[in-house]
Amino acid sequence: MTSSGSTVLDFTPAPGAAPFPRMVLAQAGAEVRAMLRNGEQLLLTLIIPVLLLVGFSVAPLIDVGGRRVDFLVPGVLALAVMSTAFTGQAIATGFERRYGVLKRLGATPLSRAGLMLAKTAAVVAVEVIQAIVIVGVGLALGWRPHGSFLSAALLVVLGTAAFSGLGLLMAGTLRAEATLAGANLVYLVLLGAGGVVFPLSKFPEGVRPVLEALPISALTGGLRSVLAEGAALPLGPPAVLAAWAVLSLGLVSRTFRWE
């Protein structure tokens, strides 16, 4: 108070970290913007899945035993999840580790746990964008979904956890160049052998059990059962995805190197 009774405002700085949720959201927003501005990331996350969906739906390149678009949309949705949660995240995180970005961010008030939470939130946000675009293109091509979207969402969540674990496992243990080559190679192999655009029934019977145990096959098969066939949530695909998630994330917690 002054002598005249007026109030004196105190402008003394009060430094301190922002609330944890705000820091996580800010970092997640930065991660999403970085993904969408990166040409290679955009190619993996949106352009390639949409081109595959349109190309294989319009051109009679494969015999799927029914309407091609009904077969392809669930597979392309699964591919989109893999491209973001596994391939894109592995490459980006691998180079962030190489250039010391992870080490610096981990030393900020955000903390390493907050950084991983922000990365997870960014992956989910990009997957929502992918789903909107792919479903929109599928509807334009004549696709009509069946079954429970809640069951489909559960499969996507489990698939995201499984692929994120595998991507972080690769990024946290290999050199950045090896992660780049390995992630792209795995993407191409799983695209061809995971039931995305080619039915697993086209492969020799001896290798089908192995292919069906892959996370991309489980996610593709589960989404196809729910969205294309209108079936109840099958037990096999969620179990396979949960097993991959537990195994990969458990290994990440033990082996991930921040620098």
Side-chain angles (χ1 to χ4, degrees):
M1 301 287 288
T2 64
S3 59
S4 61
S6 60
T7 302
V8 176
L9 299 178
D10 185 2
F11 291 102
T12 303
F20 182 74
R22 187 186 303 172
M23 291 191 292
V24 170
L25 288 176
Q27 182 62 32
E31 297 275 349
V32 171
R33 290 191 294 273
M35 287 185 193
L36 297 180
R37 288 173 182 169
N38 186 302
E40 181 181 350
Q41 291 278 69
L42 193 62
L43 181 68
L44 278 172
T45 57
L46 281 177
I47 297 176
I48 289 179
V50 170
L51 288 177
L52 287 172
L53 175 58
V54 174
F56 280 87
S57 294
V58 174
L61 300 176
I62 54 174
D63 179 16
V64 299
R67 293 196 341 138
R68 290 187 298 276
V69 69
D70 293 336
F71 175 86
L72 288 166
V73 171
V76 172
L77 283 171
L79 178 68
V81 172
M82 182 178 72
S83 68
T84 300
F86 171 70
T87 312
Q89 185 169 215
I91 294 171
T93 304
F95 279 95
E96 286 175 349
R97 187 169 72 92
R98 173 184 175 178
Y99 294 125
V101 175
L102 289 183
K103 180 181 178 181
R104 295 185 182 94
L105 287 175
T108 66
L110 177 60
S111 79
R112 293 182 175 183
L115 176 59
M116 286 303 177
L117 186 59
K119 284 184 171 292
T120 301
V123 166
V124 172
V126 172
E127 287 178 351
V128 170
I129 296 173
Q130 290 174 297
I132 292 172
V133 172
I134 292 169
V135 168
V137 173
L139 292 174
L141 292 170
W143 177 60
R144 295 297 178 265
H146 306 280
S148 168
F149 277 98
L150 184 60
S151 297
L154 175 60
L155 288 165
V156 168
V157 169
L158 290 173
T160 299
F163 284 121
S164 291
L166 292 171
L168 292 174
L169 181 62
M170 182 176 287
T173 55
L174 301 179
R175 292 171 58 89
E177 293 81 3
T179 298
L180 174 63
N184 281 315
L185 177 60
V186 171
Y187 177 87
L188 292 174
V189 170
L190 295 186
L191 169 60
V196 175
V197 294
F198 301 105
L200 293 182
S201 60
K202 301 293 184 182
F203 292 88
E205 291 186 8
V207 301
R208 285 182 206 167
V210 176
L211 298 181
E212 290 170 354
L214 296 174
I216 185 63
S217 303
L219 182 55
T220 298
L223 289 175
R224 194 165 286 141
S225 295
V226 172
L227 296 178
E229 301 169 8
L233 181 65
L235 297 178
V240 171
L241 292 171
W244 278 101
V246 170
L247 177 63
S248 60
L249 292 173
L251 290 173
V252 167
S253 68
R254 294 174 175 271
T255 63
F256 191 89
R257 299 194 302 267
W258 288 79
E259 53 184 295

